[in-house]
Amino acid sequence: MLPADWRDLFALTKPRVMSLVVFTALCGLLAAPETIHPVLGFTAILCIALGAGAAGALNQWYEADVDAQMKRTRSRPLPAGRLDRQTALHFGVGLSALSVILMGLATNLLAAAILLASILFYVLVYTVWLKPRTAQNIVIGGAAGAFPPLIGWTAVTGDVSAMPVLLFAIIFLWTPPHFWALSLFVRTDYAKAGIPMLPVVSGLATTRRHVLLYTLPMVAAAVAPWPLGLAGSLYGWTSIVLNAIFLVLAVRTAMNRAEEPSGMKPEKQLFGFSILYLFILFAAVVADRWISL
């Protein structure tokens, strides 16, 4: 076994996923009604990034055998044999401890506690318990990715209020249609690895209906800050446009009858747009907050 390469350790942190985590956490921090010293704010975002990276590393440590069976993941450092599992475990645990302790020292104990809860939830509840056992894994497991804006907000304010809870709810409800759209056109990978994702267990038609059904409460949560007086018209109109597009793509996905990935253009469009949707929506939260100052 070769010595661990920094690029493989970095790959363990799932940097593409981390970019979304960091962005939503930063939006939560910037949208908070109070201010934080830039150095402490940077430290808080760094801690959230480290915590997300730690969760990703521990996820890959636990799922190394499963990743080896899937075309989408077999080139990751562990299944490809570029790292050993013990290194990944030590790296993940070390990053977890560092992120939580540093968050507590730099900001407040509540933010550190929520960060710890998010890491434990992703690793123990989602990765170990839900993912290999139930087709609803991504529904409950979506909470893991919904914590970052809540942590960012709490790092500034030291408490939890309605707006960060809604930001949490948006990501929580966004996660199922986002991942189910992906799982529809890579379902053979999940089936080969024995992971009970919804299209593997319940079929394509059921999954497509679920995509549309879960889009409806997501739309409601995303629009809610405006009529509740928690956000202004910039956010409100941006949210309405984004959610209208998302809903149209979800309807097109629900109406599609293709069996093969080559015919799943609506699913691929929905998956691609869902990422852009979250970036623009959360950017609108920050922009709306700052123009109201």
Short mmCIF file of all heavy atoms in Angstrom, two decimals, residues 169-170 173-174 177 210-224 243 247 277:
data_model
loop_
_atom_site.label_atom_id
_atom_site.label_comp_id
_atom_site.label_asym_id
_atom_site.label_seq_id
_atom_site.Cartn_x
_atom_site.Cartn_y
_atom_site.Cartn_z
N ALA A 169 -35.83 23.14 6.28
CA ALA A 169 -36.95 22.41 5.68
C ALA A 169 -36.85 22.39 4.16
O ALA A 169 -37.19 21.38 3.52
CB ALA A 169 -38.27 23.04 6.11
N ILE A 170 -36.39 23.49 3.57
CA ILE A 170 -36.27 23.55 2.11
C ILE A 170 -35.31 22.47 1.61
O ILE A 170 -35.63 21.72 0.68
CB ILE A 170 -35.79 24.95 1.66
CG1 ILE A 170 -36.88 25.99 1.89
CG2 ILE A 170 -35.40 24.93 0.18
CD1 ILE A 170 -36.40 27.43 1.77
N LEU A 173 -36.71 18.88 2.19
CA LEU A 173 -37.74 18.48 1.23
C LEU A 173 -37.22 18.45 -0.21
O LEU A 173 -37.78 17.74 -1.05
CB LEU A 173 -38.93 19.45 1.34
CG LEU A 173 -39.68 19.40 2.67
CD1 LEU A 173 -40.61 20.60 2.79
CD2 LEU A 173 -40.46 18.09 2.80
N TRP A 174 -36.16 19.18 -0.49
CA TRP A 174 -35.53 19.19 -1.81
C TRP A 174 -34.76 17.90 -2.08
O TRP A 174 -34.68 17.43 -3.22
CB TRP A 174 -34.59 20.39 -1.90
CG TRP A 174 -33.60 20.40 -3.02
CD1 TRP A 174 -33.77 20.93 -4.27
CD2 TRP A 174 -32.24 19.92 -2.98
NE1 TRP A 174 -32.62 20.79 -5.01
CE2 TRP A 174 -31.67 20.18 -4.24
CE3 TRP A 174 -31.46 19.30 -2.00
CZ2 TRP A 174 -30.34 19.83 -4.55
CZ3 TRP A 174 -30.15 18.95 -2.30
CH2 TRP A 174 -29.60 19.21 -3.55
N PRO A 177 -36.65 14.62 -4.17
CA PRO A 177 -36.78 14.72 -5.64
C PRO A 177 -35.43 14.87 -6.33
O PRO A 177 -35.25 14.37 -7.45
CB PRO A 177 -37.65 15.96 -5.84
CG PRO A 177 -37.64 16.71 -4.56
CD PRO A 177 -37.42 15.69 -3.49
N HIS A 210 -43.47 9.89 -6.70
CA HIS A 210 -42.91 10.41 -5.45
C HIS A 210 -42.11 11.70 -5.68
O HIS A 210 -42.11 12.60 -4.84
CB HIS A 210 -42.02 9.36 -4.79
CG HIS A 210 -42.78 8.38 -3.94
ND1 HIS A 210 -43.67 7.48 -4.49
CD2 HIS A 210 -42.79 8.15 -2.61
CE1 HIS A 210 -44.19 6.74 -3.53
NE2 HIS A 210 -43.67 7.14 -2.36
N VAL A 211 -41.43 11.77 -6.82
CA VAL A 211 -40.69 12.99 -7.15
C VAL A 211 -41.65 14.18 -7.17
O VAL A 211 -41.37 15.24 -6.59
CB VAL A 211 -39.98 12.85 -8.51
CG1 VAL A 211 -39.50 14.22 -9.02
CG2 VAL A 211 -38.78 11.90 -8.40
N LEU A 212 -42.78 14.01 -7.83
CA LEU A 212 -43.76 15.09 -7.92
C LEU A 212 -44.41 15.36 -6.56
O LEU A 212 -44.56 16.53 -6.16
CB LEU A 212 -44.84 14.73 -8.94
CG LEU A 212 -45.96 15.76 -9.14
CD1 LEU A 212 -45.39 17.11 -9.53
CD2 LEU A 212 -46.97 15.27 -10.18
N LEU A 213 -44.75 14.32 -5.82
CA LEU A 213 -45.41 14.50 -4.52
C LEU A 213 -44.52 15.25 -3.53
O LEU A 213 -45.00 16.12 -2.80
CB LEU A 213 -45.79 13.14 -3.95
CG LEU A 213 -46.97 12.43 -4.63
CD1 LEU A 213 -47.15 11.03 -4.06
CD2 LEU A 213 -48.26 13.24 -4.47
N TYR A 214 -43.22 14.94 -3.53
CA TYR A 214 -42.32 15.61 -2.59
C TYR A 214 -41.94 17.01 -3.06
O TYR A 214 -41.49 17.83 -2.26
CB TYR A 214 -41.05 14.76 -2.37
CG TYR A 214 -41.24 13.71 -1.30
CD1 TYR A 214 -41.81 12.49 -1.61
CD2 TYR A 214 -40.88 13.95 0.02
CE1 TYR A 214 -42.01 11.52 -0.65
CE2 TYR A 214 -41.07 12.99 1.00
CZ TYR A 214 -41.63 11.77 0.67
OH TYR A 214 -41.83 10.83 1.64
N THR A 215 -42.13 17.28 -4.35
CA THR A 215 -41.87 18.63 -4.85
C THR A 215 -42.89 19.62 -4.29
O THR A 215 -42.55 20.78 -4.03
CB THR A 215 -41.91 18.65 -6.38
OG1 THR A 215 -40.84 17.83 -6.90
CG2 THR A 215 -41.75 20.05 -6.94
N LEU A 216 -44.12 19.18 -4.07
CA LEU A 216 -45.18 20.09 -3.63
C LEU A 216 -44.90 20.70 -2.25
O LEU A 216 -44.96 21.93 -2.11
CB LEU A 216 -46.52 19.37 -3.65
CG LEU A 216 -46.97 18.84 -5.03
CD1 LEU A 216 -48.28 18.08 -4.91
CD2 LEU A 216 -47.09 19.99 -6.03
N PRO A 217 -44.58 19.93 -1.22
CA PRO A 217 -44.24 20.56 0.06
C PRO A 217 -42.94 21.36 0.01
O PRO A 217 -42.79 22.34 0.74
CB PRO A 217 -44.14 19.39 1.04
CG PRO A 217 -43.92 18.19 0.20
CD PRO A 217 -44.64 18.46 -1.09
N MET A 218 -42.02 20.95 -0.87
CA MET A 218 -40.79 21.73 -1.03
C MET A 218 -41.11 23.12 -1.56
O MET A 218 -40.57 24.13 -1.07
CB MET A 218 -39.84 21.02 -2.00
CG MET A 218 -38.51 21.74 -2.21
SD MET A 218 -37.73 21.36 -3.80
CE MET A 218 -38.77 22.30 -4.94
N VAL A 219 -41.99 23.20 -2.55
CA VAL A 219 -42.41 24.48 -3.10
C VAL A 219 -43.06 25.34 -2.02
O VAL A 219 -42.78 26.54 -1.89
CB VAL A 219 -43.39 24.27 -4.28
CG1 VAL A 219 -44.04 25.58 -4.69
CG2 VAL A 219 -42.65 23.64 -5.47
N ALA A 220 -43.92 24.72 -1.21
CA ALA A 220 -44.59 25.46 -0.14
C ALA A 220 -43.58 26.02 0.86
O ALA A 220 -43.67 27.19 1.27
CB ALA A 220 -45.59 24.55 0.57
N ALA A 221 -42.60 25.21 1.25
CA ALA A 221 -41.59 25.66 2.21
C ALA A 221 -40.71 26.75 1.62
O ALA A 221 -40.32 27.70 2.31
CB ALA A 221 -40.72 24.48 2.65
N ALA A 222 -40.40 26.65 0.33
CA ALA A 222 -39.53 27.61 -0.32
C ALA A 222 -40.19 28.97 -0.50
O ALA A 222 -39.54 30.01 -0.44
CB ALA A 222 -39.05 27.07 -1.67
N VAL A 223 -41.49 28.98 -0.73
CA VAL A 223 -42.22 30.24 -0.93
C VAL A 223 -42.59 30.88 0.42
O VAL A 223 -42.71 32.10 0.53
CB VAL A 223 -43.47 30.00 -1.79
CG1 VAL A 223 -44.33 31.26 -1.88
CG2 VAL A 223 -43.08 29.54 -3.20
N ALA A 224 -42.73 30.06 1.45
CA ALA A 224 -43.25 30.50 2.75
C ALA A 224 -42.58 31.72 3.38
O ALA A 224 -43.27 32.55 3.98
CB ALA A 224 -43.23 29.33 3.73
N ASN A 243 -39.40 27.84 -8.37
CA ASN A 243 -40.28 26.74 -8.02
C ASN A 243 -41.24 26.38 -9.15
O ASN A 243 -41.61 25.21 -9.28
CB ASN A 243 -41.04 27.07 -6.74
CG ASN A 243 -40.18 26.88 -5.51
OD1 ASN A 243 -39.89 25.77 -5.10
ND2 ASN A 243 -39.73 27.98 -4.92
N LEU A 247 -41.32 22.69 -10.60
CA LEU A 247 -42.59 21.96 -10.65
C LEU A 247 -42.87 21.44 -12.06
O LEU A 247 -43.33 20.30 -12.23
CB LEU A 247 -43.72 22.86 -10.17
CG LEU A 247 -45.08 22.21 -9.96
CD1 LEU A 247 -44.98 21.04 -8.98
CD2 LEU A 247 -46.08 23.24 -9.45
N TYR A 277 -31.09 25.32 -8.79
CA TYR A 277 -32.22 25.83 -8.01
C TYR A 277 -31.78 26.20 -6.60
O TYR A 277 -32.05 27.30 -6.11
CB TYR A 277 -33.31 24.76 -7.97
CG TYR A 277 -34.39 24.95 -6.94
CD1 TYR A 277 -35.57 25.62 -7.27
CD2 TYR A 277 -34.26 24.43 -5.64
CE1 TYR A 277 -36.58 25.78 -6.33
CE2 TYR A 277 -35.27 24.60 -4.71
CZ TYR A 277 -36.43 25.27 -5.05
OH TYR A 277 -37.42 25.43 -4.12
#
